[in-house]
Amino acid sequence: MNAVAILIHGYNVSDPRQTVGKIRPYLEDLGVLVENYTYGYWPLPIQVSRRNDQFAAEVAERCQYWKSKGFTVYLVGHSNGCVIARTACLTYGAPVDRILAIHPALKRHLSICGLAERIIVVHNQGDLAVVAGGLLGRLTALFMPKWESARPWGEMGQDGYQGPSSNHINIDSASRDYSVKCWGHSDEFSEKKKQYWLTILTKALTE
């Protein structure tokens, strides 16, 4: 079976190879074709008001292209990349089979994709970045309500998915279940922990 993974980095990342891009060789070792979706860094007002939606439309187009070629389609997002993945699915109907959502910058109750077979949500209580994002999200709702849907930031990266959808699976990377524990927004990508964690996450996504 042919499979492709589209990697979507987070906000304020100039080089996605330092975060979500590190999972590429682990996927390629399993024969998965990997495509980076790189949207660069944009000032916050532009990102909030327009860019996330535009990026999501582009990701959806790539998903539709690969699905039309008979590929199984995976999305792998980190932080704001999970917001883009969610919008690609919910607004633009991206045909996605599975999603790996690493520290999603999303409100904890929001479904990322209702039609995906499986969504793995990686989180830990040390993720303070999404807490700050949640505060910004609430300010957005108060002062810029028309932009809120473009950036529904919240604490899912800290608390995991807390909604009713059964296709979401939480992985607490600080849990006692794992011999290597993570703490923070991007610790799974650190040099000392990436081999352990990216092996686990690749397996969770693809098996």
Side-chain angles (χ1 to χ4, degrees), residues 48-180:
V48 170
S49 62
R50 296 192 301 276
R51 293 295 180 174
N52 268 359
D53 189 76
Q54 174 187 329
F55 300 149
E58 293 170 355
V59 168
E61 287 181 3
R62 296 307 300 162
C63 293
Q64 290 159 0
Y65 168 81
W66 287 114
K67 183 59 71 173
S68 73
K69 300 293 184 181
F71 279 70
T72 296
V73 178
Y74 304 137
L75 292 182
V76 181
H78 175 236
S79 192
N80 184 64
C82 301
V83 179
I84 294 170
R86 179 177 187 269
T87 304
C89 291
L90 272 64
T91 302
Y92 295 101
V96 176
D97 294 283
R98 297 180 183 178
I99 297 174
L100 174 58
I102 304 171
H103 293 278
L106 283 164
K107 295 176 182 177
R108 60 176 69 90
H109 66 280
L110 293 178
S111 172
I112 298 175
C113 183
L115 297 179
E117 172 194 353
R118 182 190 308 164
I119 300 165
I120 302 103
V121 177
V122 183
H123 66 99
N124 66 60
Q125 283 296 304
D127 188 351
L128 299 180
V130 295
V131 175
L135 293 173
L136 283 172
R138 287 189 281 277
L139 289 174
T140 297
L142 286 173
F143 299 108
M144 298 177 287
K146 69 177 182 178
W147 291 349
E148 182 183 10
S149 62
R151 193 194 49 138
W153 285 1
E155 296 84 3
M156 193 184 294
Q158 183 181 66
D159 299 331
Y161 173 69
Q162 302 295 321
S165 296
S166 60
N167 62 342
H168 291 58
I169 301 168
N170 285 320
I171 293 181
D172 181 354
S173 60
S175 168
R176 296 178 184 177
D177 296 337
Y178 303 103
S179 58
V180 176

Side-chain angles (χ1 to χ4, degrees), residues 9-15 39-42 47 80 153:
H9 64 82
Y11 178 72
N12 198 21
V13 173
S14 58
D15 186 355
Y39 58 90
Y41 168 79
W42 294 85
Q47 181 86 34
N80 184 64
W153 285 1

Side-chain angles (χ1 to χ4, degrees), residues 4-46:
V4 63
I6 300 173
L7 312 184
I8 315 171
H9 64 82
Y11 178 72
N12 198 21
V13 173
S14 58
D15 186 355
R17 291 175 297 179
Q18 298 306 310
T19 54
V20 70
K22 290 187 177 183
I23 202 170
R24 181 174 198 139
Y26 298 84
L27 290 163
E28 289 179 336
D29 282 348
L30 297 179
V32 177
L33 182 66
V34 178
E35 181 173 291
N36 278 314
Y37 179 75
T38 303
Y39 58 90
Y41 168 79
W42 294 85
L44 188 59
I46 297 175

Side-chain angles (χ1 to χ4, degrees), residues 179-197:
S179 58
V180 176
K181 299 173 181 58
C182 294
W183 196 253
H185 191 56
S186 305
D187 202 21
E188 295 81 7
F189 303 121
S190 67
E191 288 303 308
K192 292 182 178 180
K193 300 178 182 180
K194 69 177 184 179
Q195 183 172 0
Y196 179 87
W197 271 102

